[in-house]
Amino acid sequence: MRFQALDGWRGVCAIMIVLHHLNLNWHGYSAPWVRNAYLFVDFFFVLSGFVISSAYADTLHRPSALKRFIVRRLGRIYPLHLFTLLALIAMELVKLAAFKAGAHMNQAAFSLSTSVDAMLAHLFLLQSMHLFPYLSWNLPSWSIGAEFYTYLLFAVVVALIRPLGKPLAASVFIVLLLMSGTLLMVLSPHGQNATYDFGFLRCIVSFLCGAVCYGVYRKHASVMLRWHNAAEYAALALVLIFIWFAGEGPGSFAAPLVFAIAVLVFSLQQGGLSAIMMAPWSQSLGQWSYSIYMVHFFVTGILLNRSIHFIENNLHLPLSVGSAGSVKGLIVFQNPWQADGLALLCVLASIYLASQTYRRIEQPWRHYFNRLSERGEAQRSRRSERATVPE
């Protein structure tokens, strides 16, 4: 089943994360719903747990299905991840050439967050495993590695435990959820905002909340249909209030539960808000959401910052507060309305760039990996048929 309303939510989450990473003094910069928008990554994780469970929970106990699942998941996330990493490596090579030509650089090429060691971690999707004490390369991509290994954990548990019975598999997931949640609360120094350090634990908790949420959906969807409109407005209010007050304190650990409630409500797709989420424009944003998430760093973290740097150094117009200000590196305009216009331009640029990478990178490579997985299944079927045909 296709959950179109949840696809619409993906687009909302992606845009909120872009706004969170805009280091401009636009009017919404200090608003809690922007500063706490890092939590929408957990919405993505919960959505993944729900959708992956709906698509694969009943089939992964077969070895062939397990292989197909891994190939499809890798094809879903890795090509665009590799493309963005290669683009950043190319930029570092340009920086290295410029440095050798005598240009001044704030940070040497292939050092710290763009080191070769960190590059290797990204190639193997290990950037959320606390190998380095900072975010590296394409900074938001820490979640991609965390999600891939959570996919594998989910698949292995289903493949090994599900044949022994659904209740046992559900119990194992709940135990993993509680263990990971406890470890995250004990170890994370910034509440739910764990990334390069304990991002894997964070992903496990949110993903498994989504998986449990799907179990509730399967059993009780028909009952919940009676209150769809009121439930959608209540769920939206819950999300907005939570985002406003969550911060990075202990309360932020409730994010997976809050988002699981919202996912459960909107999975029914019956209310007026779901109709908005299923509108064509919303579906397009949802379709491009992974690309928006993966490429917006090029707009907000590279293009914007380097353009401002050029203006400051060559036109001698101070725009950023710098280390002396209350927010290090915040780009400040005398007129915040100018910052609003630039913020809007960055969002639109991120969406446009994402629409292109979706069409040229993400979609064709996903189709290729899907065909690859089906080809392997077809070959196994033919071998099986030949083995059962008498000579």
Side-chain angles (χ1 to χ4, degrees):
M1 178 179 177
R2 180 72 180 272
F3 297 96
Q4 290 181 298
L6 298 184
D7 288 342
W9 267 107
R10 291 184 189 275
V12 172
C13 294
I15 297 302
M16 290 305 303
I17 291 168
V18 175
L19 293 175
H20 173 72
H21 287 144
L22 272 173
N23 208 19
L24 289 168
N25 68 323
W26 66 291
H27 281 92
Y29 175 82
S30 299
W33 58 272
V34 173
R35 299 276 47 84
N36 297 334
Y38 76 91
L39 289 164
F40 282 104
V41 174
D42 294 281
F43 211 131
F44 274 124
F45 290 154
V46 173
L47 279 171
S48 289
F50 184 93
V51 173
I52 293 296
S53 296
S54 72
Y56 294 101
D58 294 326
T59 62
L60 283 175
H61 59 279
R62 298 194 299 269
S64 60
L66 181 60
K67 265 186 189 177
R68 191 163 63 250
F69 171 80
I70 294 172
V71 171
R72 283 174 172 263
R73 290 298 93 200
L74 195 63
R76 177 72 179 89
I77 65 172
Y78 199 79
L80 184 58
H81 166 68
L82 181 61
F83 173 79
T84 58
L85 179 60
L86 291 175
L88 289 170
I89 292 172
M91 291 181 183
E92 288 299 297
L93 290 172
V94 171
K95 181 192 289 188
L96 182 62
F99 176 77
K100 289 184 176 181
H104 172 73
M105 300 291 168
N106 290 334
Q107 178 182 316
F110 296 104
S111 64
L112 297 175
S113 63
T114 55
S115 67
V116 174
D117 289 345
M119 181 202 309
L120 293 174
H122 277 256
L123 285 172
F124 291 98
L125 298 172
L126 297 171
Q127 61 269 38
S128 65
M129 301 297 186
H130 213 340
L131 300 181
F132 303 94
Y134 42 72
L135 290 168
S136 54
W137 290 96
N138 187 6
L139 306 190
S141 73
W142 68 267
S143 65
I144 306 308
E147 191 158 356
F148 178 72
Y149 287 106
T150 302
Y151 290 156
L152 295 186
L153 176 65
F154 171 82
V156 168
V157 170
V158 172
L160 296 179
I161 307 298
R162 183 63 181 273
L164 303 178
K166 290 182 182 180
L168 180 59
S171 299
V172 170
F173 279 134
I174 290 173
V175 170
L176 284 172
L177 171 60
L178 294 175
M179 289 175 57
S180 301
T182 301
L183 284 173
L184 183 64
M185 287 188 283
V186 170
L187 298 174
S188 177
H190 303 293
Q192 192 69 7
N193 196 11
T195 54
Y196 61 83
D197 45 9
F198 305 109
F200 183 41
L201 288 175
R202 175 182 177 183
C203 183
I204 292 174
V205 174
S206 295
F207 185 95
L208 292 183
C209 273
V212 172
C213 178
Y214 176 69
V216 175
Y217 169 86
R218 288 182 67 163
K219 290 185 177 180
H220 304 291
S222 60
V223 176
M224 294 185 294
L225 280 172
R226 302 172 188 172
W227 308 100
H228 49 79
N229 257 320
E232 285 189 359
Y233 284 103
L236 178 61
L238 176 63
V239 169
L240 293 176
I241 292 170
F242 174 75
I243 292 292
W244 188 269
F245 290 104
E248 293 185 357
S252 64
F253 290 119
L257 178 60
V258 170
F259 296 146
I261 292 172
V263 167
L264 182 60
V265 169
F266 282 91
S267 66
L268 304 174
Q269 308 187 123
Q270 296 295 317
L273 293 178
S274 283
I276 295 174
M277 292 298 179
M278 291 189 287
W281 63 269
S282 184
Q283 290 296 290
S284 293
L285 287 179
Q287 196 174 51
W288 302 333
S289 59
Y290 177 53
S291 279
I292 292 172
Y293 182 78
M294 289 296 287
V295 305
H296 79 273
F297 175 67
F298 288 85
V299 177
T300 63
I302 296 179
L303 179 62
L304 176 64
N305 287 348
R306 291 184 181 179
S307 298
I308 296 300
H309 215 37
F310 177 84
I311 292 172
E312 288 184 327
N313 290 339
N314 294 276
L315 302 182
H316 307 293
L317 297 175
L319 298 175
S320 59
V321 171
S323 58
S326 57
V327 181
K328 185 177 180 180
L330 180 66
I331 299 168
V332 176
F333 286 86
Q334 294 296 325
N335 184 351
W337 290 104
Q338 294 174 329
D340 290 349
L342 188 54
L344 177 61
L345 187 61
C346 286
V347 170
L348 294 176
S350 298
I351 293 172
Y352 175 76
L353 181 59
S355 71
Q356 298 304 303
T357 55
Y358 173 81
R359 185 165 65 90
R360 300 174 185 276
I361 307 295
E362 187 183 343
Q363 189 177 40
W365 279 102
R366 184 170 76 246
H367 289 164
Y368 170 77
F369 274 84
N370 287 349
R371 290 194 301 271
L372 192 64
S373 70
E374 296 302 330
R375 190 183 309 153
E377 180 65 17
Q379 290 172 350
R380 281 188 291 272
S381 297
R382 286 195 294 270
R383 285 197 298 267
S384 177
E385 288 173 4
R386 286 197 296 268
T388 57
V389 174
E391 295 294 338

